[in-house]
Amino acid sequence: MDQVKKRSDDFKNKIIYQIYPLSFCDSNNDGYGDIQGIISKLDYLKDLGVQIIWLSPIYKSPMFDNGYDISDYYSINPIFGTMEDFDCLINEAKKRDIRIVMDLVINHTSDQHYFFQDALKDKNSKYRDYYYFRNAGKRKYPNNWNSAFTGPAWEKVPNEDGMFYLHLYTKQQPDLNFHNEEVIKEVENVMKFYLDKGVYGFRCDVINQIYKTSLKNGKFRILNRGGEHYINQEGTHKVLRRFYDDLLSKYDTFLVGETSNLTTDEANKYIRNHELDTMFEFEHAMCDGVKWFPIIKKKFKMKNLLKPIYLWQNKVDWVSVYLENHDQRRSVTRFGDTKKYHKESAKALAVLLFLLKGSTYVYQGQEIGMTDYTDNTMEEMDDCATKYALQTAKKLFFFIPKRKLFKILNSMYNRDHARSPMQWDCSVNAGFNQGAKPWLKVNKNYMNGITVEQEKDDPNSILKFYKKLVSLKTNSEIIKKGDIKVIFLSNKYTEFERCLDDKKICVLINLTKKKVKYPIANINKEKILISSVETYDDKYLLPYQAIVYEV
Ligand code: GLC
């Protein structure tokens, strides 16, 4: 094997900001966010201290799964702009010392991609083997796997008796076949194209599922049935290592993997073998859902959130730390309090996010404490996963009215909650655009002051607090490089330390509405670096109080 070239690990301690382009800023007032909109906000991001932007997909796509269904990897979706706009974004970001990371969606393409269209039209097309076409024979489907969005993972091929194709997500997203050498080469060419344009790295969508070792039936499970044949397979390790050997080792780049169902040992295997540089842990993101069926809500408990986070902090070489993204509900709604303690709880969660070890990911709007958009109706629902889940729920619970099922799903699962347009100011549509109907409704609470404009001049705002945390992290070697030691964890509060050489920082976080007994008197107030509430009590941590202090 070739000697591994040491790449710079510059990505490690960066502040990474995720943009969901549809909802960020609509410069041409057509209801959809776009690249020129992003460019117009680069100064805002620079001022916030962002060093890397991760862009959710902007490639050409029929947008069934809002860009996670790519029909042409080499063009930009016209609703977002042109390739010239994208080049301009890379350059404008570079001028501000900000680098761009793209979403790389390679487990599947859109069913509109010419590979798939050609494979459908012509059984002898070379693209037929780019996907999984299988005959069901006497069975209902070729195997018993189900889609991540519920329902069967196979869709019938029109006009071909008994023939199906595999889709682990929606039927508009057929899975690519990574047993085929040419598929591997196609993906390498896409990465090379964007790396040569100056893109810094890739967030790799559902990457630990790309290789299907066999298509045998899976063990009975409600979710991910078949997973033992496609999650974390040896073949995936080999494909990712190929990407590194053939291409990625030659660039100063990094890959962050979206990797559900991963143990810490497996995570390190990806990292140590140069397959992925870092990844997202998933268990904490499911902490308020029932284990066997996470779309059913259960009461939030701090221990359930922090146990998996601490495990990964201690065991995995380099973690990507996040509390929300375009697939998760807003963290302040889930783990904080949107009524009495909106500010305090959003700040306490921010302390957790920034003080943990790893790369810090902020999802657009998190920095102003944006909350779930829960007032939507069944008719307004956009999220394809919720549409799928509603269909399945209706089959299983046919005796429950559809609206009621939607209400249950909406309280937990609907990915639209975190996708409502960014709240810039108090003008029409929260300044997302000039008044055209946005693709998804704006959260009305922009009128209550949850906007960039209102928060930017308020010294106590969530936004100002994020800025302080960014600067705290960027200027502290302990926070960037120090080890983490968990001192205490209960459902009331937690305490951990970050240590480097003989220096130590201590973090205390109360994520409840109640004050909890803790002898604050022992803390030297001069040594407090940041706190989510301004007042102190010598014996108690106040509701949602998070304090960081030097020891
Ligand atoms: C990832 C994306 C999600 C998408 C799915 C299928 O989980 O984050 O938005 O629906 O992959 O591509």
Side-chain angles (χ1 to χ4, degrees):
M1 197 178 288
D2 285 352
Q3 185 70 26
V4 172
K5 207 171 108 191
K6 178 95 182 75
R7 281 187 310 194
S8 93
D9 54 6
D10 198 40
F11 72 92
K12 280 195 167 172
N13 276 302
K14 299 295 187 212
I15 311 296
I16 303 174
Y17 188 91
Q18 182 193 353
I19 291 184
Y20 195 66
L22 268 183
S23 303
F24 192 61
C25 179
D26 171 15
S27 73
N28 61 353
N29 198 32
D30 64 356
Y32 304 98
D34 46 51
I35 297 174
Q36 284 300 337
I38 299 173
I39 295 172
S40 73
K41 300 295 181 186
L42 284 174
D43 287 334
Y44 163 73
L45 296 175
K46 177 74 190 163
D47 187 50
L48 180 60
V50 169
Q51 294 147 318
I52 296 176
I53 293 171
W54 151 29
L55 279 184
S56 276
I58 51 165
Y59 315 86
K60 195 166 172 207
S61 159
M63 300 299 269
F64 192 79
D65 190 7
N66 293 349
Y68 287 89
D69 47 332
I70 299 171
S71 55
D72 181 359
Y73 291 84
Y74 296 99
S75 4
I76 302 298
N77 187 333
I79 64 170
F80 294 134
T82 60
M83 194 56 90
E84 287 69 46
D85 290 329
F86 182 56
D87 289 334
C88 175
L89 171 63
I90 297 177
N91 284 330
E92 288 299 317
K94 194 171 170 198
K95 282 187 203 157
R96 294 161 177 86
D97 244 338
I98 297 176
R99 307 185 77 174
I100 304 290
V101 163
M102 291 187 92
D103 224 302
L104 188 74
V105 189
I106 57 169
N107 176 68
H108 41 265
T109 65
S110 155
D111 62 347
Q112 301 304 309
H113 195 289
Y114 78 85
F115 296 165
F116 191 71
Q117 285 298 315
D118 207 79
L120 277 188
K121 268 184 226 132
D122 175 6
K123 279 187 209 164
N124 299 319
S125 153
K126 74 166 191 164
Y127 298 117
R128 190 83 170 185
D129 188 52
Y130 273 37
Y131 298 91
Y132 291 97
F133 282 85
R134 291 293 184 279
N135 206 296
K138 292 200 176 95
R139 292 168 300 176
K140 193 167 175 198
Y141 299 109
N143 66 26
N144 69 352
W145 297 6
N146 52 20
S147 134
F149 295 156
T150 73
W154 295 91
E155 178 64 18
K156 217 180 146 339
V157 176
N159 310 321
E160 282 187 46
D161 254 7
M163 189 58 81
F164 290 79
Y165 65 86
L166 176 71
H167 61 89
L168 288 182
Y169 291 85
T170 69
K171 64 179 183 192
Q172 289 79 0
Q173 293 163 300
D175 278 51
L176 282 168
N177 170 17
F178 279 89
H179 292 257
N180 185 327
E181 267 296 302
E182 286 190 44
V183 169
I184 297 177
K185 296 223 174 77
E186 298 277 6
V187 172
E188 288 182 347
N189 289 342
V190 171
M191 286 197 277
K192 185 168 186 327
F193 177 80
Y194 286 101
L195 287 170
D196 288 341
K197 275 189 174 295
V199 159
Y200 183 26
F202 300 96
R203 175 266 187 190
C204 305
D205 192 65
V206 297
I207 196 68
N208 59 332
Q209 310 182 354
I210 59 171
Y211 192 87
K212 284 79 185 169
T213 304
S214 88
L215 296 181
K216 289 188 189 140
N217 274 342
K219 284 191 219 120
F220 183 79
R221 269 201 225 114
I222 295 194
L223 293 179
N224 294 326
R225 194 182 310 141
E228 66 272 33
H229 302 291
Y230 62 79
I231 300 177
N232 300 318
Q233 303 293 299
E234 214 30 60
T236 298
H237 288 288
K238 286 206 177 112
V239 170
L240 290 174
R241 180 59 201 229
R242 267 280 300 276
F243 292 163
Y244 181 81
D245 290 335
D246 292 354
L247 179 80
L248 301 172
S249 54
K250 303 180 178 97
Y251 289 81
D252 175 23
T253 177
F254 82 104
L255 299 188
V256 44
E258 189 207 16
T259 46
S260 59
N261 298 295
L262 201 63
T263 65
T264 51
D265 284 346
E266 279 159 348
N268 283 332
K269 187 169 168 189
Y270 283 109
I271 295 177
R272 291 176 192 167
N273 199 31
H274 294 271
E275 295 159 10
L276 294 170
D277 299 280
T278 171
M279 64 271 294
F280 298 114
E281 175 269 312
F282 259 69
E283 214 181 310
H284 82 275
M286 320 263 232
C287 73
D288 52 354
V290 171
K291 197 162 183 148
W292 53 273
F293 205 44
I295 61 182
I296 299 177
K297 204 172 180 171
K298 73 175 189 208
K299 195 169 181 292
F300 167 66
K301 290 198 172 133
M302 193 170 172
K303 259 174 141 178
N304 294 343
L305 172 71
L306 280 168
K307 259 190 179 166
I309 290 184
Y310 284 157
L311 178 77
W312 273 55
Q313 288 277 304
N314 280 311
K315 295 258 163 86
V316 176
D317 294 355
W318 199 259
V319 187
S320 279
V321 184
Y322 71 103
L323 289 176
E324 58 189 73
N325 61 39
H326 66 293
D327 292 332
Q328 311 287 335
R329 291 169 45 229
R330 293 285 184 182
S331 57
V332 68
T333 312
R334 288 175 85 181
F335 315 136
D337 177 74
T338 50
K339 296 190 176 96
K340 191 164 169 203
Y341 298 109
H342 177 245
K343 261 190 195 174
E344 293 80 354
S345 61
K347 290 179 184 178
L349 287 164
V351 167
L352 176 67
L353 182 70
F354 280 83
L355 268 292
L356 289 169
K357 186 176 177 185
S359 316
T360 307
Y361 287 71
V362 177
Y363 175 60
Q364 65 182 43
Q366 186 176 357
E367 75 278 19
I368 52 168
M370 274 180 67
T371 66
D372 274 1
Y373 179 65
T374 47
D375 293 341
N376 43 4
T377 63
M378 198 166 80
E379 288 67 30
E380 286 162 352
M381 166 177 49
D382 174 82
D383 173 27
C384 63
T386 311
K387 287 181 187 161
Y388 252 66
L390 188 59
Q391 253 179 34
T392 311
K394 192 60 208 154
K395 278 188 200 145
L396 293 173
F397 307 104
F398 54 89
F399 45 91
I400 305 180
K402 205 167 172 189
R403 262 173 215 288
K404 198 153 185 201
L405 288 173
F406 170 74
K407 235 177 146 185
I408 298 169
L409 279 176
N410 198 38
S411 73
M412 179 63 191
Y413 189 53
N414 195 348
R415 300 187 299 177
D416 291 342
H417 292 323
R419 298 177 178 180
S420 63
M422 178 74 184
Q423 295 166 204
W424 294 104
D425 57 41
C426 292
S427 66
V428 63
N429 292 334
F432 166 67
N433 64 12
Q434 302 294 304
K437 187 172 177 238
W439 73 282
L440 204 62
K441 272 196 184 156
V442 178
N443 193 320
K444 289 191 213 76
N445 65 13
Y446 78 92
M447 290 184 268
N448 309 336
I450 307 184
T451 67
V452 169
E453 186 64 30
Q454 308 245 131
E455 294 194 23
K456 79 178 193 325
D457 299 320
D458 170 2
N460 290 323
S461 69
I462 301 169
L463 180 58
K464 273 271 156 59
F465 194 79
Y466 263 78
K467 277 196 196 170
K468 280 184 208 150
L469 281 168
V470 171
S471 115
L472 191 66
K473 174 161 181 173
T474 357
N475 295 311
S476 161
E477 290 307 296
I478 313 179
I479 300 177
K480 285 198 276 197
K481 300 198 177 119
D483 288 333
I484 179 163
K485 190 167 161 207
V486 179
I487 309 291
F488 182 76
L489 172 63
S490 74
N491 279 327
K492 292 187 177 148
Y493 80 97
T494 189
E495 178 174 4
F496 64 87
E497 291 172 353
R498 300 291 312 274
C499 322
L500 186 70
D501 306 325
D502 55 349
K503 293 201 185 91
K504 206 194 283 181
I505 283 180
C506 188
V507 183
L508 276 167
I509 306 174
N510 170 10
L511 273 192
T512 73
K513 292 187 184 74
K514 296 196 178 118
K515 54 184 189 176
V516 280
K517 209 161 174 53
Y518 187 89
I520 304 275
N522 292 347
I523 302 172
N524 176 351
K525 300 212 171 54
E526 312 263 281
K527 299 270 183 174
I528 292 180
L529 299 172
I530 196 161
S531 168
S532 61
V533 291
E534 280 115 66
T535 44
Y536 302 100
D537 184 304
D538 278 353
K539 295 191 187 64
Y540 293 96
L541 277 175
L542 298 172
Y544 295 104
Q545 183 162 35
I547 306 183
V548 183
Y549 61 96
E550 281 174 324
V551 184

